[in-house]
Amino acid sequence: MTSTDTRPVILLTDFGRKDTFAGIMKGVIASISPESRVIDLTHDIDPGNILQASFLLRISYAYFPKKSVFCVVVDPGVGSERNAVCIETRDYFFVGPDNGVLWEAATGNHIKQIIRLTNTDYFLEPISNTFHGRDIFAPMAAAISKRLETLAILGDPVNECVKFYLPKIKVNKSCLELSVLHIDRFGNLTLNLSENEFRQFVQDREFCLAFKDRRINKTYKAYSAAKENEVFLIPASSGYMEISVKNGSAAKMLDARTMDSAALEILSS
């Protein structure tokens, strides 16, 4: 078997880089399927933050080769009775804890089947109560990477898994009530508002985005178009609208946190 015969394994965890957790997962995958390519999506999810992991997986998976295996370990319920699952979609495989972290990405690519991972022949023994990434998820991802004839060998088909939805826009008369989904390392604030939704709502009218004590009424196509330290809206590469500051951090300037609220309204008709 060569690397072209295996499926890439994409890792997304909250393990960080200080400890050896992510590296050990790679070691397990290499031991089971040495030919498999392993790609780090990120290991810098905030500990246990299902919202952050769900959002970043949702906006990222489509940029990877078809049939990639996403191994997602953001698992505050590790060691509990929560299930381990593999969700096969039209183009990908998503492996991880059944806590909702896989749901947004999987539903975005049309779910074909859900397998509850129960076949202990594929687990590492003994199974730690604190490191299922090593003992369950990495071995399962490696097995799927090797192009198993059927996923059914890994466990039992189920009809449902835990659902977790990104915060929805609330429509209040002529106002959209929004939430901050994510804050990137540059301090940009990603809103739960796509560029298309923004354009359709605003059209050519004047608008105001109320965020804490700020009133934001500028939008630009590029950061360079803004004035120094100006707060503005910009369509980000994710397809969502962001609150940004030129050459600065919107998160620091506005003392922002994930799930802070904002309100977008029209000033003129």
Side-chain angles (χ1 to χ4, degrees):
M1 183 178 289
T2 66
S3 60
T4 58
D5 299 320
T6 59
R7 300 168 173 136
V9 178
I10 319 302
L11 299 180
L12 185 155
T13 79
D14 58 359
F15 292 156
R17 303 284 183 173
K18 178 180 179 180
D19 298 302
T20 59
F21 304 122
I24 288 174
M25 285 185 64
K26 293 180 182 181
V28 169
I29 294 168
S31 298
I32 296 170
S33 182
E35 299 83 8
S36 295
R37 288 178 293 159
V38 180
I39 301 170
D40 297 305
L41 181 52
T42 181
H43 296 292
D44 291 326
I45 299 297
D46 294 335
N49 193 326
I50 293 173
L51 169 62
Q52 184 185 26
S54 175
F55 173 70
L56 293 180
L57 182 63
R58 177 68 179 84
I59 65 174
S60 302
Y61 73 82
Y63 295 97
F64 289 86
K66 300 294 176 63
K67 302 307 176 183
S68 290
V69 183
F70 289 86
C71 185
V72 180
V73 189
V74 178
D75 193 14
V78 62
S80 70
E81 294 300 314
R82 67 98 185 91
N83 291 322
V85 294
C86 173
I87 304 178
E88 181 184 4
T89 68
R90 181 185 60 209
D91 300 312
Y92 301 101
F93 302 87
F94 297 93
V95 175
D98 188 18
N99 58 15
V101 71
L102 308 176
W103 180 253
E104 282 279 354
T107 53
N109 195 242
H110 306 290
I111 294 174
K112 293 174 61 176
Q113 64 173 328
I114 305 169
I115 302 294
R116 183 163 57 92
L117 302 174
T118 57
N119 189 342
T120 57
D121 289 343
Y122 287 86
F123 297 173
L124 292 191
E125 297 288 352
I127 300 172
S128 165
N129 284 331
T130 61
F131 197 3
H132 286 183
R134 177 192 66 193
D135 299 334
I136 297 176
F137 300 123
M140 287 292 184
I144 297 167
S145 174
K146 294 173 69 172
R147 296 181 180 269
L148 291 174
E149 185 175 336
T150 173
L151 291 182
I153 196 172
L154 300 179
D156 307 312
V158 293
N159 294 324
E160 292 188 343
C161 63
V162 173
K163 302 174 177 63
F164 177 87
Y165 296 96
L166 298 175
K168 304 299 182 184
I169 298 170
K170 296 179 182 179
V171 180
N172 184 6
K173 295 182 180 179
S174 61
C175 173
L176 300 183
E177 297 181 8
L178 310 173
S179 302
V180 175
L181 289 181
H182 178 63
I183 301 175
D184 68 21
R185 70 182 303 269
F186 300 102
N188 300 308
L189 313 180
T190 304
L191 300 170
N192 62 332
L193 177 72
S194 72
E195 180 182 2
N196 288 338
E197 290 168 331
F198 175 77
R199 300 299 178 198
Q200 290 172 8
F201 181 74
V202 172
Q203 299 177 21
D204 293 323
R205 299 172 294 182
E206 294 183 7
F207 70 89
C208 175
L209 179 75
F211 185 78
K212 297 193 174 184
D213 61 348
R214 293 281 181 144
R215 298 295 181 267
I216 304 165
N217 56 17
K218 295 289 186 180
T219 181
Y220 299 109
K221 294 181 178 180
Y223 299 111
S224 59
K227 298 177 182 178
E228 206 73 17
N229 294 319
E230 181 181 15
V231 183
F232 58 94
L233 287 175
I234 188 169
S237 60
S238 63
Y240 289 80
M241 298 300 294
E242 288 183 348
I243 302 174
S244 299
V245 174
K246 182 177 180 179
N247 295 328
S249 167
K252 290 181 179 179
M253 180 176 288
L254 303 176
D255 191 26
R257 301 288 185 272
T258 302
M259 290 304 296
D260 279 349
S261 59
L264 180 66
E265 61 179 328
I266 300 304
L267 300 180
S268 63
S269 58

